[in-house]
Amino acid sequence: MYGNMMQQPLLISSLLQHAERHHRDAEIVSRRTEGGVFRYTYADLAARCRRLANVLQGLGIQQGSRVGTLAWNGYRHMELYYAVSGHGAVVHTLNPRLHPDQVVWIADHAQDEVLFFDTTFLPLVEAIADRLKTVKAFVLMTERQHMPQDSKISNLLCYEDLLENASSVYAWPGLDENSASGLCYTSGTTGNPKGVLYSHRSTILHSFAVALPDGMNCSATDTILPVVPMFHVNAWGLPYVACMVGAKLVLPGPNLDGQSLYTLFEAEGVTLAAGVPTIWQGLLTYMRENGKRFTTLRRTGIGGSACPPSMIRTFQQEYGVQVMHGWGMTETSPLVTMGVLKDKHTGQDPEKTLALQAKQGRAMFGVDIKVLGDDGNEIAWDGKTPGELMVRGNWVVSSYFLSDETATLVDGWFPTGDVATIDADGYMQITDRTKDLIKSGGEWISSIEVENIAVGHPGVAMAACIAMPDLKWAERPLLVVIRKPQMDLREDELLQFFEGKIAKWSIPDEVVFVDQIPLGATGKMLKNKLRESLATHKMRVRAK
Amino acid sequence: MYGNMMQQPLLISSLLQHAERHHRDAEIVSRRTEGGVFRYTYADLAARCRRLANVLQGLGIQQGSRVGTLAWNGYRHMELYYAVSGHGAVVHTLNPRLHPDQVVWIADHAQDEVLFFDTTFLPLVEAIADRLKTVKAFVLMTERQHMPQDSKISNLLCYEDLLENASSVYAWPGLDENSASGLCYTSGTTGNPKGVLYSHRSTILHSFAVALPDGMNCSATDTILPVVPMFHVNAWGLPYVACMVGAKLVLPGPNLDGQSLYTLFEAEGVTLAAGVPTIWQGLLTYMRENGKRFTTLRRTGIGGSACPPSMIRTFQQEYGVQVMHGWGMTETSPLVTMGVLKDKHTGQDPEKTLALQAKQGRAMFGVDIKVLGDDGNEIAWDGKTPGELMVRGNWVVSSYFLSDETATLVDGWFPTGDVATIDADGYMQITDRTKDLIKSGGEWISSIEVENIAVGHPGVAMAACIAMPDLKWAERPLLVVIRKPQMDLREDELLQFFEGKIAKWSIPDEVVFVDQIPLGATGKMLKNKLRESLATHKMRVRAK
């Protein structure tokens, strides 16, 4: 027997319609690649999305067609999010930081039919346009005045011209809520990139979870600035959440250095920002060096890679900004866990709270987590025993897009490739990537644990811990460190810093100081590259 | 083309499983009808729900079967919420405040197969048991020691005995998320009661909306006390929300007087409570008379009928408790709008904020509102022109249960029977029930507006404004008032109080002081009864 309630599909166009009706004059403020700041309202956004949907129609985009974007966080990218998905097509956010060959491979694999891109990426697109077999039209996201006089791209269209000439009348189609709405490729460190095809339903349910008080806690009194790129797992869903709750949205454009961000935070009264630790490191450094304070920022979502406890402490204790440490992947939309407290933690010792917040957090309703031992059985939630983290739920991938990898799931759970513990309260902590674990004398050493301690030292800017082969112990940890400017940190000094903070056998045998650590397109350290470049490094044998 | 995300139905059993896994030791604290306070955890709840599901199975309850309850807010009622719906059956919460004939009519219409009831309602059930044609089993929600020696009910079962003898092994079935999960009848003032049949999907989506920061803002750091009964639109969804977010839940049992509530608030550290204005009036009176303060309460949800501005002021300014004034109906699950602020209201004059909060609020994502004029066209959102309030969305009824009323919806919208305005920011204000409006000299007078002013007078305990026939003006307002104890408020004094607060022609012509105003089963004033009892009242003709 069915209930007698109305049946309305969960659609991305409903988010836009909600914002247009109920938050008409809430603002979207964007830094433009062409310079300057652009501001308009949700009512303006909705009106322009209707024009854009007509443009897509005119370009032959049908339900299910893929539309590629190479763009920063800006209002036109936001328009593509809503117009493409609302029209029933799939917005495919390409990562412009990837190698051009990879961009070509991915756009080709996705069969993108139109490519929209910011002025920043004109050289990139000019270099690869001929190789993009399925792309029928290239649209530069700018006005006529910023169009190149002469481009290598023969069929280059102007975004604003297209919109100006399009009808403003468009009715968002009714769609099956399980229809594909967005596509994002994981830039895996091994093998070809794999596409995750989101649906309207998964996007809406994920947005609800992200907006919850124990998610990123978003309301109409917030001004939200996603530093995390819209080409990186949909900026953690915040462009959708903003419409759902009617928050003011600030889109930072291409410049994500500390000064640019800080200026924007203060000018627009940002209350909630979200990004990866490396970005926040830049912001905090700028603020410390220039004696700045936040006047409006209340909370920051941190994820993408583990947030060092020292950063949580700095944000909370020095700047009064609450850190919400989360975890997720492209395959999980991304938010699965958030490091937020429970009633039982109220009034506990702040150091305990800090330790808890350093974990990646507990599962939100709608998804579930577990850890599996080598034997494939679920490990008890003791907060100690690590195992492979498995995830399932309404916004978790079930298979990759147009992929031969059929056996992605294990018993209906997605294997993340992360190693984690879960404690009795459900708080999960990533101890490592499966492939980054260091096995020494039969014991596992967590590279992340070692790195977190290292970056807690005032002289360390960045640190990576990798396994080196060892005749006696099988593997031993090597610590690779970038010093902070003007700091002459010595190896013995840094190794001493580990004493008492970690099991003795987990302390690295050696520190190598470098000028650079290779970063991937999403800002994560590429430890496989490090391992390659240090393959011939001879470890010093140390007294144990 | 479909997305490649996991497909998991939105089920009420998922809420329970989430709470059991991720909030094992969060507490549920209940005042028992048998006396005393009972406390256990979500893990305990889940374990007992599995036993209860086996009991239901044993009693022949199948998917779609209706299971009736006559119960206060307590842990066993909570178990029925989850076990009945989780098992695939329909939990039908009967309102014990209705006339016994109505209870019989409703249980009969719903075809309830089993009736679970609190000890309080043994006399009621004994009186009507013979007339309940479809009920095969009666279960008294208590232990063996509180069972009656000798009952008129031949097949009276003991809840705790049943649970004790049931297996603890039970796997929640996979269900279609559109399956019926709950049933609640509206106690309409005219015609037969009508049943609203909720689904798992509508319940989960509603719970997300209620838990949002701009809903009732619920998190795992909250201790939630629903004063609103679990037999009244599922206590506004809070028993579901509590599992979704892992909040501590406090269930007050039968005693809802000011002292009982205040004691429980303080003993259990309640942070969020929800109820109707008449209940809060009792609580505030108790607190004022006894000089009490809240030490933990942060927010209160108020709905069911319009919250007088004076009550909002008292909660916020005297007690520092934020009021969340909302609106909904049995037909809407119930939450549709919440009177919460936007970014643009930050820092505005507190009196403006108070005026805004007196409105019923703006629509949450997932539902939409509009007002229709007499011509059936949508009225512009000017905050002034009233029209009939129409609602649609994922948790709004599309038709009544087993009802012949086929044409419930108008163009896919549910006509609420309320008259309201909507302002440019989307804030809706109920001005009246369609049938309570007073038409005087071609102008509409809002009875709610008149009542709100009246209860703002320190001498007024309760006030109802009704239309009286008038030869010259067609109708004129009569104000019916209950004085506060020991207050000798005079008519001219009260009428003077209206001067300058309302249009002159809206001021009532006369005040009648009474000892009682008839209240319906959900605590609302029954103005139709008042109109009946005052039908022969001769209005004094006043100088205008």
Side-chain angles (χ1 to χ4, degrees), chain A residues 106-165:
Chain A
I106 292 173
D108 218 47
H109 185 266
Q111 300 163 26
D112 292 337
E113 297 182 23
V114 179
L115 183 61
F116 287 82
F117 57 100
D118 271 338
T119 52
T120 316
F121 306 116
L122 181 60
L124 167 64
V125 177
E126 285 188 325
I128 62 174
D130 284 348
R131 296 161 61 196
L132 295 171
K133 294 197 281 284
T134 58
V135 177
K136 310 181 285 202
F138 294 87
V139 183
L140 189 55
M141 294 161 66
T142 191
E143 302 94 356
R144 170 67 29 204
Q145 70 199 85
H146 293 105
M147 291 295 286
Q149 295 295 320
D150 181 35
S151 169
K152 282 181 226 163
I153 306 167
S154 55
N155 47 348
L156 185 63
L157 301 170
C158 169
Y159 187 94
E160 293 298 335
D161 280 1
L162 290 172
L163 251 68
E164 199 181 316
N165 296 324

Side-chain angles (χ1 to χ4, degrees), chain A residues 141-372:
Chain A
M141 294 161 66
T142 191
E143 302 94 356
R144 170 67 29 204
Q145 70 199 85
H146 293 105
M147 291 295 286
Q149 295 295 320
D150 181 35
S151 169
K152 282 181 226 163
I153 306 167
S154 55
N155 47 348
L156 185 63
L157 301 170
C158 169
Y159 187 94
E160 293 298 335
D161 280 1
L162 290 172
L163 251 68
E164 199 181 316
N165 296 324
S167 162
S168 61
V169 180
Y170 182 91
W172 301 108
L175 303 167
D176 185 319
E177 69 185 30
N178 292 305
S179 301
S181 60
L183 179 60
C184 192
Y185 279 72
T186 60
S187 45
T189 44
T190 56
N192 283 324
K194 286 172 280 194
V196 180
L197 192 65
Y198 308 109
S199 72
H200 288 262
R201 175 182 166 101
S202 73
T203 303
I204 299 288
L205 293 175
H206 178 257
S207 301
F208 268 125
V210 172
L212 286 182
D214 282 347
M216 284 204 255
N217 193 8
C218 304
S219 81
T221 58
D222 276 311
T223 296
I224 303 178
L225 189 147
V227 186
V228 51
M230 290 170 72
F231 56 75
H232 181 56
V233 215
N234 301 322
W236 301 348
L238 291 171
Y240 302 115
V241 170
C243 277
M244 177 176 270
V245 306
K248 175 176 169 183
L249 186 64
V250 181
L251 301 171
N255 299 321
L256 306 181
D257 59 284
Q259 180 170 11
S260 299
L261 287 177
Y262 178 78
T263 316
L264 198 55
F265 279 29
E266 292 298 311
E268 299 300 333
V270 171
T271 59
L272 165 62
V276 296
T278 42
I279 288 288
W280 295 142
Q281 198 58 65
L283 177 65
L284 291 174
T285 302
Y286 168 80
M287 294 186 62
R288 195 172 43 243
E289 286 173 358
N290 295 275
K292 302 289 189 188
R293 308 289 303 171
F294 297 113
T295 59
T296 60
L297 191 68
R298 293 193 292 252
R299 306 185 302 290
T300 172
I302 304 187
S305 54
C307 179
S310 55
M311 181 176 285
I312 301 178
R313 189 188 295 273
T314 303
F315 263 118
Q316 298 190 161
Q317 297 180 358
E318 281 183 42
Y319 293 103
V321 173
Q322 187 207 338
V323 169
M324 303 170 295
H325 187 199
W327 177 88
M329 316 172 67
T330 302
E331 286 88 340
T332 62
S333 295
L335 227 63
V336 171
T337 60
M338 283 298 283
V340 284
L341 304 183
K342 295 182 175 182
D343 185 39
K344 66 196 287 184
H345 304 123
T346 308
Q348 76 177 357
D349 173 16
E351 288 300 310
K352 274 192 167 176
T353 297
L354 215 58
L356 189 63
Q357 288 184 293
K359 298 188 176 192
Q360 272 75 9
R362 52 188 170 80
M364 352 185 52
F365 173 76
V367 285
D368 203 355
I369 56 174
K370 66 177 180 179
V371 282
L372 292 190

Side-chain angles (χ1 to χ4, degrees), chain B residues 192-516:
Chain B
N192 282 324
K194 287 170 280 193
V196 180
L197 192 65
Y198 308 109
S199 71
H200 288 262
R201 175 182 167 101
S202 73
T203 304
I204 300 287
L205 293 176
H206 178 257
S207 301
F208 268 124
V210 173
L212 285 181
D214 282 347
M216 284 205 257
N217 193 8
C218 306
S219 81
T221 58
D222 275 311
T223 296
I224 302 177
L225 188 148
V227 186
V228 51
M230 290 171 73
F231 56 76
H232 180 54
V233 215
N234 301 322
W236 302 349
L238 290 171
Y240 303 115
V241 170
C243 277
M244 177 176 269
V245 306
K248 175 177 170 182
L249 186 65
V250 181
L251 300 170
N255 299 321
L256 307 180
D257 59 284
Q259 180 169 13
S260 298
L261 287 178
Y262 178 78
T263 317
L264 198 54
F265 279 29
E266 292 298 312
E268 299 300 333
V270 171
T271 59
L272 165 62
V276 296
T278 41
I279 288 288
W280 295 143
Q281 199 58 63
L283 176 65
L284 291 174
T285 302
Y286 168 80
M287 293 185 63
R288 196 174 40 243
E289 285 172 358
N290 296 276
K292 301 289 190 187
R293 308 289 305 170
F294 297 113
T295 60
T296 60
L297 191 68
R298 292 193 294 251
R299 304 184 303 290
T300 172
I302 303 186
S305 53
C307 179
S310 54
M311 182 176 283
I312 302 178
R313 190 189 296 274
T314 302
F315 264 119
Q316 297 189 162
Q317 296 179 358
E318 281 183 42
Y319 294 104
V321 173
Q322 188 208 335
V323 169
M324 303 170 297
H325 186 198
W327 177 87
M329 316 172 66
T330 302
E331 286 89 339
T332 62
S333 294
L335 227 62
V336 171
T337 59
M338 284 298 283
V340 284
L341 304 183
K342 295 182 175 183
D343 185 38
K344 65 195 291 183
H345 304 124
T346 309
Q348 78 178 355
D349 174 17
E351 288 302 310
K352 273 192 169 176
T353 297
L354 215 58
L356 190 64
Q357 289 183 293
K359 299 187 176 194
Q360 273 75 9
R362 52 186 169 82
M364 351 185 53
F365 173 76
V367 284
D368 203 354
I369 56 174
K370 65 176 180 181
V371 282
L372 292 190
D374 292 338
D375 57 2
N377 291 324
E378 184 168 358
I379 293 173
W381 291 11
D382 62 2
K384 290 173 194 161
T385 318
E388 180 165 10
L389 179 65
M390 314 288 288
V391 182
R392 73 171 175 194
N394 280 298
W395 47 91
V396 177
V397 75
S398 63
S399 64
Y400 290 106
F401 181 56
L402 298 179
S403 165
D404 296 333
E405 294 188 46
T406 47
T408 310
L409 304 189
V410 180
D411 276 342
W413 293 74
F414 173 75
T416 63
D418 274 333
V419 181
T421 60
I422 305 178
D423 69 20
D425 292 325
Y427 288 81
M428 182 271 285
Q429 184 160 30
I430 303 283
T431 57
D432 227 322
R433 290 292 295 170
T434 319
K435 58 186 188 309
D436 291 338
L437 270 178
I438 299 158
K439 186 139 197 183
S440 174
E443 298 279 359
W444 293 108
I445 297 174
S446 157
S447 64
I448 293 179
E449 194 180 8
V450 173
E451 290 156 9
N452 273 344
I453 294 171
V455 297
H457 189 286
V460 173
M462 195 181 292
C465 180
I466 60 172
M468 294 297 284
D470 185 281
L471 279 178
K472 183 167 174 194
W473 307 102
E475 292 181 348
R476 285 298 301 157
L478 170 68
L479 188 62
V480 185
V481 165
I482 305 178
R483 286 193 192 91
K484 283 206 182 139
Q486 279 91 47
M487 301 289 273
D488 67 339
L489 177 66
R490 292 193 324 272
E491 178 182 29
D492 59 342
E493 207 181 318
L494 180 54
L495 289 177
Q496 224 150 41
F497 184 69
F498 279 89
E499 301 284 343
K501 296 193 173 73
I502 197 174
K504 211 151 181 77
W505 46 266
S506 294
I507 299 179
D509 283 359
E510 192 179 330
V511 180
V512 175
F513 293 100
V514 297
D515 293 332
Q516 252 191 332

